[in-house]
Amino acid sequence: LLLRWRWRRGLWKKVKEARQRQERSLVQMEMAVRCFREQHPSMNMISILSLPLPELSKKLRDGSLPLEHVFYAYVGKALQIATETNCITEYLQESETQVRKAKRTGKLGLLYGVPVSIKDSIDCQGHDSTLGFIKNLNKPAAEDSVVVQVLRRQGAIPFVKTNVPVSLISYDCKNLIFGQTFNPLLYTRTPGGSSGGEGALIGGGGSILGFGTDVGGSLRFPAAFCGICTLKPTGNRLRPLAMNALFWSLPVVTAVGPMAKDVESLALCMRALLCEDMFNLDSTVPPLPFNEEVYSSTQPLRIGYYETDFFTMPSPAMRRAVRETKQLLEDAGHTLVPFELTNVDYVVFNFCFRGVFADGGTSFLKKFKGELDKSVRLFFWLAKSPNWLKTVLSWIAKPFLLMPFFGFVSFFSTVDEVWSLHHEIEEFCRQFIAQWKKLNLDVMLCPMLGPAFGIGYPGKLSVAISYTVLYNALDFPAGVVPVTMVTDEDEEELKGYQGYFRDWWDRTLAKAFRGSVGLPVAVQCVALPWQEELCLRFMKEVETL
């Protein structure tokens, strides 16, 4: 008991020190901004913050806007949003040195002088990448991840790291170290996750460009919930982060991607990153520069669409968002073709949950060993149980659709079954692409879960990721664009929402949707692998209409 008490005391001491560092970061930001404003009282912060990224970047590169003014304007706004939403975990104070040393000589990068926010799990030299785990505190990264190195070479200035849920397997944003992050649009709502700190900061206007990762919707949930845009590229189009931060199985592909207020900002970011620096720093990234011709094309598109996946019933606002977008696209001269999804429940449970927890959850649970988080206590007990008991419990839970909760610890562990899973996913992907090609589609319009849930609901509704995780299993590029807001009519129609199974999950989902009038609702735009430019072109069309 004494040893256990000492161990717990040591962990809480590390948490306390981390929170103090977080508080000091905010104080440093406040002091830096105050000092700069005293020296430059005429700085027009509002006009700087109102500039879209392409225009801001142009002014920075031609020298018509001082780099320092832009940097401290965003530090000041980020401080305000962090105070309101608890989205920032650390201020990268060396960014001030980078600003002072920046020289307008030679060829300037496309992102010269642009302040950029970085998700906690993406390595920045000299700073922790905790993933919400206490054990990862006080273990600063030895070097920048590839994406951060390329950002710096393009002139961008990473200035803060942002909050994540513990382990990144959640579309909420809370951990024992830094606590809960709140949605800047409504503080009683989650910003989404796992890139929730990024979503809150950009959605609140505290960052003009940010970077997160996506293993089941971790870029797309925060974007949809906070009313901003994002692009989840094909898995290896951009190199994500230090691989020690990942413990997922290969069947479900992780991607790194940008988040911003508008689609043109995402396109500018991809132009900057898909460069020789990226290809030279990591030879596993295919040398595919940004295809300007595809992005700039005005040819009419042939667009597949669906309103539901017949697994997670869309909210009235989700369904209306797809219908209204479809109509606008048709009116603009594009061809819309119905696309029917099948067996999404099988994809979610057998490809995604089984893919991530292919070893019976052993690797996942190892990450929680020695942590204070009590949310996985039942998982620990199940993992240590004999196989016959796991099987019995999973069959008992199955009628209640609690399969992901109990079932993953009874999933296969043999090499043969893992290979079979890989083969099944490849075959599903082949069939999906064959259906796509048969309809001669360019892109796909899909629903996006929303509006933002109340805090705590994502943890109860893990199966509601069906609309996003499908495209991680397929490894298709997918973007999110906000298109409408929840109306009183949507709220009234929601009273009749029962879901497809009329079970506990559906009843809880109906509660999560309620009371959301005025919150943003988005759609997903999807393209085939390696066609990020076409995906962005489609997103731009949707945004414009």
Side-chain angles (χ1 to χ4, degrees):
L1 286 172
L2 178 62
L3 289 171
R4 184 172 178 80
W5 174 80
R6 287 186 63 188
W7 165 73
R8 289 178 63 86
R9 186 184 177 194
L11 289 182
W12 280 117
K13 184 180 178 183
K14 289 177 73 174
V15 170
K16 184 179 178 181
E17 290 170 352
R19 289 175 181 171
Q20 287 172 344
R21 280 199 301 273
Q22 183 191 31
E23 289 170 10
R24 283 197 300 271
S25 284
L26 299 183
V27 171
Q28 288 166 355
M29 292 171 74
E30 184 180 9
M31 290 174 63
V33 172
R34 188 192 306 141
C35 182
F36 188 79
R37 283 179 179 167
E38 287 172 357
Q39 295 172 8
H40 303 82
S42 62
M43 182 180 78
N44 191 337
M45 182 173 164
I46 295 173
S47 66
I48 291 172
L49 295 174
S50 66
L51 291 172
L53 179 57
E55 189 177 345
L56 179 75
S57 174
K58 183 175 179 294
K59 286 180 178 290
L60 282 165
R61 282 184 289 130
D62 67 21
S64 61
L65 195 58
L67 187 153
E68 296 89 346
H69 287 212
V70 173
F71 178 77
Y72 287 104
Y74 272 99
V75 171
K77 186 63 177 178
L79 174 63
Q80 177 198 329
I81 301 303
T83 305
E84 295 170 358
T85 65
N86 187 37
C87 58
I88 291 175
T89 59
E90 192 172 6
Y91 175 50
L92 309 185
Q93 200 168 9
E94 66 271 18
S95 58
E96 295 179 25
T97 305
Q98 190 179 345
V99 169
R100 286 194 297 270
K101 289 183 176 180
K103 297 284 192 299
R104 294 192 64 259
T105 55
K107 186 180 178 183
L108 300 178
L110 287 176
L111 298 176
Y112 171 77
V114 176
V116 173
S117 49
I118 306 291
K119 183 178 180 177
D120 165 278
S121 58
I122 299 176
D123 282 353
C124 291
Q125 185 178 10
H127 300 276
D128 293 339
S129 296
T130 68
L131 285 76
F133 288 115
I134 299 170
K135 67 174 69 175
N136 290 339
L137 287 169
N138 305 325
K139 294 179 180 178
E143 62 178 1
D144 288 333
S145 60
V146 170
V147 74
V148 173
Q149 289 182 54
V150 178
L151 283 169
R152 292 192 195 278
R153 293 187 186 192
Q154 286 289 338
I157 303 172
F159 74 115
V160 290
K161 294 197 80 175
T162 55
N163 204 21
V164 295
V166 62
S167 82
L168 310 188
I169 297 267
S170 172
Y171 60 101
D172 202 346
C173 192
K174 179 183 180 181
N175 59 67
L176 279 179
I177 305 170
F178 302 110
Q180 175 75 52
T181 298
F182 305 96
N183 192 311
L185 306 178
L186 187 61
Y187 299 151
T188 58
R189 300 293 169 119
T190 175
S194 61
S195 308
E198 285 299 313
L201 186 61
I202 298 166
S207 175
I208 197 167
L209 179 65
F211 286 84
T213 57
D214 191 308
V215 74
S218 296
L219 281 165
R220 289 162 285 165
F221 282 117
F225 286 6
C226 297
I228 61 174
C229 299
T230 191
L231 174 69
K232 178 204 82 69
T234 311
N236 223 36
R237 188 76 194 264
L238 300 176
R239 188 61 173 170
L241 53 162
M243 292 308 291
N244 64 356
L246 299 175
F247 49 92
W248 331 112
S249 167
L250 288 175
V252 184
V253 181
T254 303
V256 66
M259 304 172 77
K261 284 278 192 177
D262 56 75
V263 178
E264 194 59 54
S265 299
L266 300 178
L268 175 62
C269 174
M270 293 299 286
R271 281 190 200 100
L273 290 179
L274 296 175
C275 63
E276 286 302 316
D277 287 328
M278 174 69 75
F279 310 141
N280 291 333
L281 285 167
D282 193 330
S283 300
T284 65
V285 175
L288 299 171
F290 189 84
N291 192 326
E292 199 65 53
E293 184 181 349
V294 172
Y295 178 66
S296 303
S297 172
T298 56
Q299 289 293 315
L301 295 169
R302 188 170 170 86
I303 305 164
Y305 75 94
Y306 57 89
E307 294 180 10
T308 178
D309 63 6
F310 299 103
F311 179 67
T312 303
M313 181 179 279
S315 66
M318 287 169 63
R319 200 182 288 270
R320 179 174 58 80
V322 174
R323 286 176 179 170
E324 290 181 356
T325 305
K326 169 189 171 287
Q327 188 60 53
L328 288 168
L329 288 164
E330 282 182 328
D331 293 345
H334 302 287
T335 303
L336 275 291
V337 182
F339 188 97
E340 188 170 329
L341 290 180
T342 55
N343 299 324
V344 171
D345 56 341
Y346 188 85
V347 172
V348 171
F349 291 128
N350 289 279
F351 293 172
C352 301
F353 282 104
R354 290 181 76 174
V356 171
F357 302 113
D359 58 356
T362 303
S363 299
F364 177 71
L365 293 173
K366 270 183 185 176
K367 292 288 178 178
F368 282 90
K369 192 173 183 181
E371 294 288 317
L372 294 168
D373 198 303
K374 298 177 182 179
S375 61
V376 291
R377 190 172 287 177
L378 179 59
F379 291 145
F380 272 115
W381 179 80
L382 284 168
K384 293 175 183 177
S385 302
N387 286 334
W388 66 265
L389 181 58
K390 295 176 188 175
T391 304
V392 169
L393 287 173
S394 66
W395 276 104
I396 292 171
K398 200 171 185 179
F400 304 100
L401 262 181
L402 293 170
M403 189 65 176
F405 188 70
F406 286 103
F408 84 84
V409 290
S410 64
F411 287 148
F412 49 74
S413 56
T414 68
V415 174
D416 180 57
E417 287 172 318
V418 173
W419 280 117
S420 295
L421 174 70
H422 280 264
H423 176 72
E424 268 193 89
I425 292 175
E426 286 177 2
E427 182 61 24
F428 172 75
C429 186
R430 188 191 64 77
Q431 291 175 4
F432 196 96
I433 292 174
Q435 185 181 354
W436 184 299
K437 298 282 189 183
K438 185 179 179 181
L439 296 172
N440 196 27
L441 302 180
D442 296 310
V443 288
M444 185 96 78
L445 173 68
C446 322
M448 178 63 214
L449 190 71
F453 290 176
I455 287 167
Y457 274 103
K460 302 172 186 176
L461 292 165
S462 57
V463 292
I465 64 173
S466 59
Y467 287 104
T468 53
V469 77
L470 171 66
Y471 296 107
N472 290 93
L474 290 167
D475 196 19
F476 285 16
V480 160
V481 182
V483 294
T484 187
M485 292 185 289
V486 180
T487 63
D488 290 318
E489 290 76 15
D490 295 327
E491 198 70 22
E492 185 64 30
E493 195 177 337
L494 187 60
K495 292 177 181 177
Y497 182 96
Q498 292 182 316
Y500 290 120
F501 303 97
R502 302 190 179 190
D503 56 11
W504 179 87
W505 296 93
D506 284 334
R507 290 191 295 274
T508 305
L509 191 56
K511 292 177 186 175
F513 285 138
R514 284 180 196 143
S516 304
V517 174
L519 290 179
V521 181
V523 292
Q524 263 190 119
C525 302
V526 179
L528 290 174
W530 310 108
Q531 294 187 9
E532 282 72 18
E533 296 87 348
L534 183 57
C535 186
L536 285 165
R537 187 249 154 136
F538 179 36
M539 290 169 67
K540 181 69 176 174
E541 188 77 9
V542 169
E543 179 186 62
T544 303
L545 292 172

